[in-house]
Amino acid sequence: MKVVVIGNGMVGQKFCEKLLSKGIPDLQLTVFGEETLAAYDRVHLSSYFAGKTVEDLTLQPVKWYEENGIDLRLGDPVQEVDRLKKNVTSFEGLSIAYDYLVFATGSAAFVPPIPGVDKHGVFVYRTIEDLNMIWRHAATAKTAVVIGGGLLGLEAAKACLDLGIKDTHVIEFAPRLMPRQIDEAGSEILIQKLKELDITTHTGKNTAAILGNETIKGMIFTDGTILSTDMLVISAGIKPRDELARACGLTVGPRGGIVVNDHMITNDEHIFAIGECALHNSMIYGLVAPGYEMADVVATQLAGAAKQFPGFDMSTKLKLIGIDVASFGDPFISGDEARTIVFRDNHRGIYKRINFSNDGKELLGGVLVGDAEAYNMLLQICKNKMALPPDPMDLIIKAKEGSADAGAGVVALPDDALICSCEGVTKSDICNAVTEQGCETVDAIKKCTKAATGCGGCAPMVKDIMVHTMKQQGKLVRNVLCEHFGYSRQELYDLVKLRDLHSFDEVLDTLGEGDGCETCRPAISSILASLWNELIVKKESATSQDTNDRFLANIQKGGTYSVVPRIPGGEITPDKLLVIAQVAKKYNLYTKITGGQRIDMFGAHLNDLPSIWEELIEAGFESGHAYGKSLRTVKSCVGSTWCRFGLHDSVSYAIRIEERYRGLRSPHKLKSAVSGCIRECAEAQSKDFGIIATEKGWNLYVCGNGGSKPQHALLLATDLDSETCIQYIDRFLMFYIKTADPLTRTATWLNKMDGGIDYLRNVVVHDSLGIGAELEREMQLLVDAYQCEWKNVVETPELRSQFTHFINAPKEKDPTVQFEAMRDQKKAATW
Ligand SMILES: Cc1cc2nc3c(=O)[nH]c(=O)nc-3n(C[C@H](O)[C@H](O)[C@H](O)COP(=O)(O)OP(=O)(O)OC[C@H]3O[C@@H](n4cnc5c(N)ncnc54)[C@H](O)[C@@H]3O)c2cc1C
Ligand code: SF4
């Protein structure tokens, strides 16, 4: 059988693999590729900028084609198809006959006919060659614009930013971002998230022309506004490569694409079309997984079996580090057809929407922005029509609080649940890889089943299924951080310390592999901060940080920042109160007294932050670390100094504790309190560690929690003297820092601990592991290494200069920030 494939992209290559696996006798397979490179992983194209080489991205080396008897003709596009003679002619003049012809010509970037689009400095984002050109141009560019606020446009914008172009803009014609995947409210949160990454978004904008002589200088829009720029990347959609098919008389759709039936057959029974060039049921799938399924449909039929393409789910997850965006099922269904639950938290930048059937039984679709941890599970619930909890709200709220154990969720999945859509791998395939092939790492599962080797979105669920299956078999499960590090958090903590590693890149080079991901980057960042107490605002760690850490301030509604100086134990002099008042007045900040007994100032512009802090530091204040995963406040009651019930001086003790642990980076934020007697006015039993005065000393409580999931702290030790109490807190905190997973509060950490509070008491009080002295020594090192991060920024011009909206105009304030008057102060304008 003579089979000719036109196109050696992702789907063309997958087709070769599938066809070979069928073992068809006398197969003669010829592949023509227009690009000079063998098929590469276009889905992970952006990782080329992050250090992946062409070799890394290549799906199979040229040698593989040779070894499998495939005649691969790279850099030689097919120019003509003679359907009567059943042969093709290439650019080099090669004429090859076929029994079956497969079009896998993919698509090209759609370039709208904007006047000036041919200028130097205008690019598309599709091939490695495109990326090489962008890379060269970006070296001298200060501003970049991307046309297109869809999946690929946002990826291109992030790439521009990673290439060092600080002033990056996204232009979207529609009134919202990712219009095919998310709704208006989700888009608002996404815009806020992009702003935190320094990407400015302009929605509802239509480009009228590209300005400049030969080289782009700017863009003018139909509303008359102008945006100066040094380069433009167009990512406004795709256009199927159907020109050859059209020329040989195959039927194409009105808006392009080679028309195919459910068997992927065109109007010529000897010609198939697969991947992004195929128009199935009026649909071009711009994703790799449906293309792979189409490849299998054709290969199976050529091997003599029956198979049809049933259509495909378009659920997607954006793969930008630092931004979680996903949509699944039908994200927009509403009205009479469905019920919708929406959760929106502007403060944390989280938006979740789920749509379910009117009878509350079936999940129909949804949108996740800012926290897509639950994506894989929700997708499976939706696809497999699994039963919903009595209150469907639990699907999106509990998952965030860590109470819905994602690992436990996989138990309920049916065996035939499709986990990896790209490679068609089911839950039972993964379980079998563990039970029958002995796979015990995600890497081994990948090699054995190919799961998670396509877009990679299913990797967390693959891990959950693997862990669950291993546990069922009674095997020891090594809780490795992610696919890039074969160590647990605790092991990494020790190794980073032993090897004296100080940056994410050093840790990755020495202990890991690949590029890192949204799991390991913040986790390593937190380990480094805990270990060395170094300045978190350092440039090299910028991509691993929360925005809050990057600007040493919490970003607030409306795009401004808050300023929170430390007020240890809540004690403050009138002089210092005056300074806060003066600063707040001068910079027009909204002031509020918090539950943690300090004064927050809201509404600060990014570029005012260093000056505000300069004045506060001058007056003796220091950073309150309200933005970090670190100690917040140690609240205190007035204690024996003023209260007639007070047993001890709770204020002095709270100040001592707050000053000891200030700036301590930990897996999550830490809160503490000291009460002067059992009446507990400081609410110490709702804190991560709380201290209550007794007749004989202090009682120490640990692992309490307020907030959305309150939990009473548990008594760890009683009647301690002040020194011993601090010794135990040192051990407790250090043990938590070293063993808790990232973003785990002490309460959750204890809930998951085998042996619970008794075990913890044994470790901390009775030193059952013999590590007490070491934990104390490590804590002392951190205490000694303390520095006020804001003082460092204020005194270092290079760090100071990072606090600006516009790199070219550092004094310019963000024009989108708007306020309204409220009760003699201001508030963020409604947005
Ligand atoms: C930056 C980026 C990120 C992406 N991210 C994702 C993602 O996260 N998830 C996802 O599912 N998908 C993603 N995609 C889309 C995914 O890459 C495509 O769906 C997939 O590559 C389509 O494969 P294909 O083989 O159909 O087309 P292509 O990969 O475009 O391959 C077609 C090949 O055919 C060649 N060709 C065309 N005409 C001829 C001819 N006449 N003769 C010979 N050769 C010819 C072309 O030069 C090309 O090499 C992304 C794409 C890009 C660009
Ligand atoms: S906790 Fe006790 S000492 Fe402190 S203020 Fe309340 S009553 Fe007074």
Side-chain angles (χ1 to χ4, degrees), residues 485-528:
F485 291 94
Y487 303 101
S488 67
R489 191 182 188 279
Q490 160 82 68
E491 288 167 335
L492 274 172
Y493 187 98
D494 293 337
L495 285 168
V496 169
K497 188 174 161 207
L498 276 169
R499 306 257 175 106
D500 196 28
L501 306 174
H502 287 255
S503 71
F504 177 80
D505 288 344
E506 269 181 15
V507 179
L508 189 67
D509 287 349
T510 317
L511 304 170
E513 58 180 34
D515 303 322
C517 62
E518 57 267 50
T519 303
C520 59
R521 280 183 177 269
I524 301 283
S525 181
S526 145
I527 288 175
L528 290 170

Side-chain angles (χ1 to χ4, degrees), residues 169 415 445 457 477 501 516 686:
H169 300 252
D415 284 351
I445 303 261
V477 178
L501 306 174
S686 64

Side-chain angles (χ1 to χ4, degrees), residues 255-522:
R255 292 168 62 196
I258 308 167
V259 175
V260 289
N261 62 15
D262 289 350
H263 301 278
M264 309 317 294
I265 300 175
T266 63
N267 56 313
D268 180 328
E269 59 178 342
H270 294 104
I271 303 182
F272 299 89
I274 56 177
E276 280 190 2
C277 64
L279 184 68
H280 175 261
N281 263 341
S282 310
M283 177 93 175
I284 295 282
Y285 291 94
L287 298 173
V288 74
Y292 282 3
E293 180 62 15
M294 292 174 185
D296 194 49
V297 168
V298 177
T300 307
Q301 293 177 101
L302 290 182
K307 186 156 188 190
Q308 292 191 15
F309 181 71
F312 217 83
D313 180 64
M314 288 294 282
S315 306
T316 34
K317 191 169 174 216
L318 188 67
K319 51 186 190 310
L320 298 185
I321 285 178
I323 304 187
D324 264 8
V325 183
S327 73
F328 59 93
D330 187 340
F332 305 120
I333 188 169
S334 60
D336 295 341
E337 297 167 281
R339 292 185 187 167
T340 293
I341 294 180
V342 168
F343 169 82
R344 180 172 175 153
D345 179 343
N346 286 342
H347 172 62
R348 289 190 292 171
I350 294 173
Y351 173 78
K352 298 180 186 185
R353 164 185 175 157
I354 49 169
N355 312 318
F356 54 97
S357 56
N358 285 322
D359 59 8
K361 288 196 173 143
E362 204 181 310
L363 185 61
L364 302 175
V367 176
L368 305 168
V369 182
D371 172 15
E373 204 183 311
Y375 168 71
N376 277 309
M377 200 59 219
L378 292 176
L379 177 62
Q380 290 299 336
I381 293 174
C382 182
K383 281 206 299 199
N384 295 296
K385 303 192 186 324
M386 287 161 66
L388 303 188
D391 184 358
M393 173 98 131
D394 291 349
L395 289 173
I396 47 175
I397 302 298
K398 281 193 179 167
K400 177 64 205 160
E401 302 308 330
S403 53
D405 181 354
V410 299
V411 181
L413 288 178
D415 284 351
D416 60 355
L418 191 63
I419 305 300
C420 173
S421 313
C422 296
E423 294 290 342
V425 184
T426 62
K427 177 186 168 189
S428 67
D429 294 334
I430 297 167
C431 296
N432 290 344
V434 176
T435 52
E436 285 161 29
Q437 311 289 325
C439 298
E440 295 190 356
T441 61
V442 173
D443 224 34
I445 303 261
K446 278 183 175 181
K447 285 195 182 110
C448 181
T449 64
K450 289 209 151 196
T453 57
C455 72
C458 63
M461 186 156 264
V462 170
K463 183 178 168 196
D464 284 344
I465 295 174
M466 179 193 80
V467 167
H468 172 69
T469 315
M470 284 171 68
K471 277 187 181 160
Q472 269 187 330
Q473 288 195 303
K475 285 187 176 165
L476 179 72
V477 178
R478 288 193 69 222
N479 189 17
V480 298
L481 193 63
C482 67
E483 59 180 299
H484 303 107
F485 291 94
Y487 303 101
S488 67
R489 191 182 188 279
Q490 160 82 68
E491 288 167 335
L492 274 172
Y493 187 98
D494 293 337
L495 285 168
V496 169
K497 188 174 161 207
L498 276 169
R499 306 257 175 106
D500 196 28
L501 306 174
H502 287 255
S503 71
F504 177 80
D505 288 344
E506 269 181 15
V507 179
L508 189 67
D509 287 349
T510 317
L511 304 170
E513 58 180 34
D515 303 322
C517 62
E518 57 267 50
T519 303
C520 59
R521 280 183 177 269

Side-chain angles (χ1 to χ4, degrees), residues 637-640 643-647 650 675-682:
C637 71
V638 287
S640 59
C643 176
R644 62 203 167 89
F645 299 111
L647 296 170
S650 50
S675 281
C677 82
I678 198 65
R679 287 169 187 77
E680 246 284 65
C681 295

Side-chain angles (χ1 to χ4, degrees), residues 158 161 188-201 322-323 345-350 370 542 545-551 553-561 606 805 814 831:
K158 179 69 174 20
L161 200 72
E188 282 174 14
I189 297 282
L190 179 56
I191 290 172
Q192 178 188 330
K193 294 257 153 203
L194 289 168
K195 192 171 176 182
E196 289 168 16
L197 281 182
D198 271 350
I199 296 173
T200 312
T201 311
I323 304 187
D345 179 343
N346 286 342
H347 172 62
R348 289 190 292 171
I350 294 173
Q545 295 161 9
D546 284 349
T547 307
N548 289 348
D549 274 337
R550 191 134 49 96
F551 296 127
N554 287 326
I555 188 163
Q556 306 291 354
K557 188 172 172 175
T560 58
Y561 293 81
L606 180 60
H805 285 291
D814 183 347
W831 56 290

